[in-house]
Amino acid sequence: MASDKIKECSKIIAEKKFTIAFAESATAGWLASEFALVPQSGDIFLGGIVCYDRDTKEELFDIPKETIEKYTAESAEVTQLLAEGLYKYFKSDIRVGVTGLISPGGSETPEKPVGTMFVHIIAPGGSHAHREVFNGEPEEIISKTIDRAADLISNLIS
């Protein structure tokens, strides 16, 4: 079942007659699946791409290897490029990129600890980059990221 924030966001997207698509890394398609569960899904949801692996980001989204080496695969810079690159696959009004660190073993540092999530939204209301650190187990971090993304999208297009 979709979260209440996703349900509300979907209503706003439908009222505006917008469509939405996702490029997801750390959330691994969970954000897209939430939007697939709302009554408006057939009208608003175009699809999503899970690009968990660094090579997939490079190959599908043409993200330069140097960019990933400089900023890491879980960064604001790469997340923005994912959102921008979605247009190659989906001609949606709203494009959302998500990367982050849900468990140890990635590119975490003291400045970018586990729980750091990046969301980049491109919409008719503008573009918005968001970085936030969530606490909890991986599932909790993803759930909190999904709800935050829904709030950010709603605020951007309202």
Side-chain angles (χ1 to χ4, degrees), residues 21-35:
F22 304 93
E24 299 182 67
S25 182
T27 51
W30 191 349
L31 183 56
S33 70
E34 289 269 325
F35 275 87

Side-chain angles (χ1 to χ4, degrees), residues 59-136:
E59 292 168 16
L60 287 181
F61 291 89
D62 300 319
I63 297 175
K65 187 175 290 220
E66 299 77 29
T67 300
I68 292 177
E69 287 172 1
K70 181 175 181 179
Y71 298 107
T72 78
E74 306 85 14
S75 63
E77 293 79 7
V78 169
T79 308
Q80 179 178 347
L81 293 173
L82 290 175
E84 290 171 355
L86 266 173
Y87 197 73
K88 176 179 174 182
Y89 302 102
F90 303 104
K91 304 303 184 238
S92 61
D93 300 298
I94 303 165
R95 298 184 308 279
V96 182
V98 181
T99 68
L101 301 160
I102 61 166
S103 59
S107 64
E108 70 269 9
T109 65
E111 298 79 31
K112 186 174 73 173
V114 169
T116 303
M117 298 297 289
F118 299 94
V119 178
H120 195 95
I121 303 160
I122 300 170
S127 182
H128 181 76
H130 184 77
R131 176 194 188 272
E132 188 162 346
V133 179
F134 296 106
N135 294 315

Side-chain angles (χ1 to χ4, degrees), residues 144-155:
K144 291 173 184 177
T145 302
I146 288 167
D147 280 347
R148 179 70 76 227
D151 282 342
L152 294 167
I153 295 163
S154 296
N155 290 337

Side-chain angles (χ1 to χ4, degrees), residues 32-48:
S33 70
E34 289 269 325
F35 275 87
L37 297 173
V38 299
Q40 306 85 351
S41 63
D43 296 325
I44 67 167
F45 178 50
L46 296 189

